[in-house]
Amino acid sequence: MSKFTVIGAGIAGASIAYHLAKAGYSVTVYDRSDQGQATRASAGIICPWVSQRRNQKWYRLVQEGARYYPHFIDELENATKRSTGYKRKGAICLFKDDHIQELAFQRISAKQEGSPEMGAVKKLTKEQVKAIHPHLTNEYPAVYVEGGGQINGESLLDALKQGILLYGGKWFDQDQAPTTLTGTVIYTAGAWSGEFFQTPMVYHQRAELLHFKLNHHLTSQHTPVVMGLGPMYLIETGPNTFAIGTTHEDTDSFDLAPSIENQRYLLEEAKRYFPEAIINDHYVAVGLRPFTRDSLPYMGFVKQNVFVVNGLGSTGLTAGPVIGREVTSYLLGEETTLNLNDYNY
Ligand SMILES: Cc1cc2nc3c(=O)[nH]c(=O)nc-3n(C[C@H](O)[C@H](O)[C@H](O)COP(=O)(O)OP(=O)(O)OC[C@H]3O[C@@H](n4cnc5c(N)ncnc54)[C@H](O)[C@@H]3O)c2cc1C
């Protein structure tokens, strides 16, 4: 039987290993869980339809990713009896004024036809925004997307690890074993991939999320994901706890010390979106997002028996599960839903 070794188990490696093990193949995973691993640091928003990005290869991937999520999570949680923190409470996308809201509504609702999993798309007045998310400012009108969701990267990885072990795979919390590896080796090393290969060239972006607690409970309901103005977003991370982000900083550095300046900036943003709340216990989590030159994930052989998946960028948690499914089919010589040749060179 074919053997597979996976080096690096953020969402890319863990998802591929899980799908291979579930298909009955022998899989061994090595992961050293570097500080700055993108998957655990991620906000975990699954709402690709609202992006203004026009690249069709990227869109096909994340659209299929969002479509696959509910089924994937159902199977994983049922098999492992672990919660991944997946929830679909919708997404509120805020806009500066009614004119921009209208344009955005047209643009987003035009995607519904090809993506029924988006659910309903509605315009919300400022008052309706406040009714759905009582902490949030009533400064802006919004578009609500019913199918918007959120996943907890850390819980998802824990469940995937359990799933891999359940289906007979092995997982070692360490660097790549020094002995010669047999079978197909899959490198999914995220920002650290330069230690092995230059194809694809992987760059990284430092991203910071400010986590915080609010002084009082206004609601016991789960609140939707909030896509703020510009690149800002807000997520609920637990009872009365939230996170806001992110910063985007292209860098060669692996320094993960939080920046005081960014922390101040994110705190100001948190106060702007939650103007009536007192924000306590805040801290910054830093992650390294891996990118390729064209900001598209790379999936392909770089030499015989060596397959690389990397550059998942800012939507890696959305795409990760379906990448696992598709790469597994590709490696086993089965038909894939996506054309994987769109993602290699
Ligand atoms: C702050 C932040 C917010 C984000 N928000 C979102 C979001 O809302 N929605 C979304 O879809 N995506 C989001 N992303 C993007 C997403 O998190 C990433 O695209 C994705 O996690 C990348 O996964 P990966 O497996 O490629 O890399 P990583 O998760 O970084 O995993 C790489 C792993 O390889 C291991 N490794 C490296 N070298 C070796 C070696 N030699 N031996 C063993 N192990 C090794 C590392 O230790 C690490 O565990 C966000 C990212 C960040 C940082």
Side-chain angles (χ1 to χ4, degrees):
M1 187 174 56
S2 306
K3 275 189 167 176
F4 297 92
T5 304
V6 176
I7 311 292
I11 184 64
S15 169
I16 295 167
Y18 167 75
H19 284 86
L20 282 167
K22 190 155 78 73
Y25 287 81
S26 160
V27 186
T28 306
V29 176
Y30 294 93
D31 181 61
R32 63 180 188 210
S33 223
D34 284 278
Q35 216 197 334
Q37 187 211 63
T39 303
R40 286 183 202 273
S42 173
I45 298 169
I46 322 276
C47 193
W49 319 282
V50 303
S51 170
Q52 297 200 51
R53 196 171 163 191
R54 287 165 181 265
N55 186 300
Q56 287 304 310
K57 292 178 185 174
W58 168 81
Y59 186 67
R60 280 199 290 277
L61 177 64
V62 290
Q63 179 192 36
E64 188 62 26
R67 183 171 297 152
Y68 181 48
Y69 244 91
H71 171 72
F72 161 76
I73 294 292
D74 234 36
E75 258 188 12
L76 178 63
E77 291 190 342
N78 277 332
T80 62
K81 310 286 174 239
R82 300 270 169 139
S83 164
T84 60
Y86 180 61
K87 51 188 181 192
R88 277 219 284 181
K89 298 290 168 194
I92 297 175
C93 311
L94 301 175
F95 297 98
K96 209 169 79 186
D97 55 40
D98 293 348
H99 174 64
I100 302 181
Q101 177 207 36
E102 177 58 34
L103 294 176
F105 174 71
Q106 300 296 340
R107 174 176 59 77
I108 295 168
S109 51
K111 295 187 180 155
Q112 271 178 304
E113 199 182 322
S115 295
E117 57 282 356
M118 276 173 85
V121 178
K122 293 190 276 198
K123 282 194 278 184
L124 299 181
T125 62
K126 297 171 184 182
E127 294 70 34
Q128 287 170 322
V129 168
K130 194 82 185 145
I132 297 182
H133 198 320
H135 291 301
L136 202 53
T137 171
N138 59 0
E139 284 268 308
Y140 307 110
V143 173
Y144 177 75
V145 180
E146 189 184 19
Q150 199 186 327
I151 183 84
N152 179 310
E154 182 155 11
S155 307
L156 175 59
L157 279 190
D158 291 345
L160 283 170
K161 181 175 177 179
Q162 282 312 308
I164 292 162
L165 299 176
L166 182 78
Y167 290 120
K170 298 192 183 90
W171 180 299
F172 297 98
D173 290 312
Q174 62 185 63
D175 216 326
Q176 174 185 1
T179 48
T180 313
L181 297 167
T182 54
T184 303
V185 182
I186 303 165
Y187 282 94
T188 40
W192 298 268
S193 82
E195 294 169 24
F196 302 111
F197 296 110
Q198 305 304 321
T199 304
M201 276 300 289
V202 174
Y203 309 91
H204 61 265
Q205 212 174 52
R206 207 182 116 98
E208 287 166 298
L209 266 186
L210 183 84
H211 292 257
F212 56 91
K213 201 173 166 108
L214 296 186
N215 59 324
H216 58 293
H217 247 316
L218 289 180
T219 171
S220 57
Q221 79 203 35
H222 287 300
T223 53
V225 165
V226 178
M227 313 298 271
L229 304 190
M232 207 49 67
Y233 52 71
L234 278 143
I235 50 163
E236 191 182 71
T237 52
N240 225 25
T241 59
F242 292 82
I244 186 165
T246 71
T247 56
H248 300 75
E249 194 181 327
D250 295 324
T251 178
D252 296 337
S253 165
F254 284 83
D255 177 11
L256 292 157
S259 136
I260 302 289
E261 195 187 333
N262 287 341
Q263 182 160 3
R264 264 196 222 118
Y265 161 66
L266 291 172
L267 186 55
E268 284 313 307
E269 287 291 298
K271 289 179 184 161
R272 170 181 167 207
Y273 285 103
F274 288 170
E276 288 151 26
I278 294 175
I279 292 168
N280 291 321
D281 301 344
H282 51 84
Y283 67 91
V284 169
V286 185
L288 302 177
R289 290 191 195 100
F291 276 96
T292 58
R293 62 178 186 201
D294 52 7
S295 294
L296 268 184
Y298 179 97
M299 306 175 223
F301 279 102
V302 295
K303 57 184 190 175
Q304 205 184 0
N305 293 334
V306 178
F307 196 85
V308 171
V309 177
N310 213 320
L312 273 58
S314 55
T315 44
L317 280 203
T318 307
V322 83
I323 285 177
R325 183 192 79 188
E326 294 290 285
V327 166
T328 293
S329 298
Y330 184 82
L331 292 174
L332 301 182
E334 296 165 1
E335 203 177 322
T336 55
T337 303
L338 297 164
N339 179 1
L340 289 212
N341 290 330
D342 281 345
Y343 308 96
N344 58 52
Y345 29 85

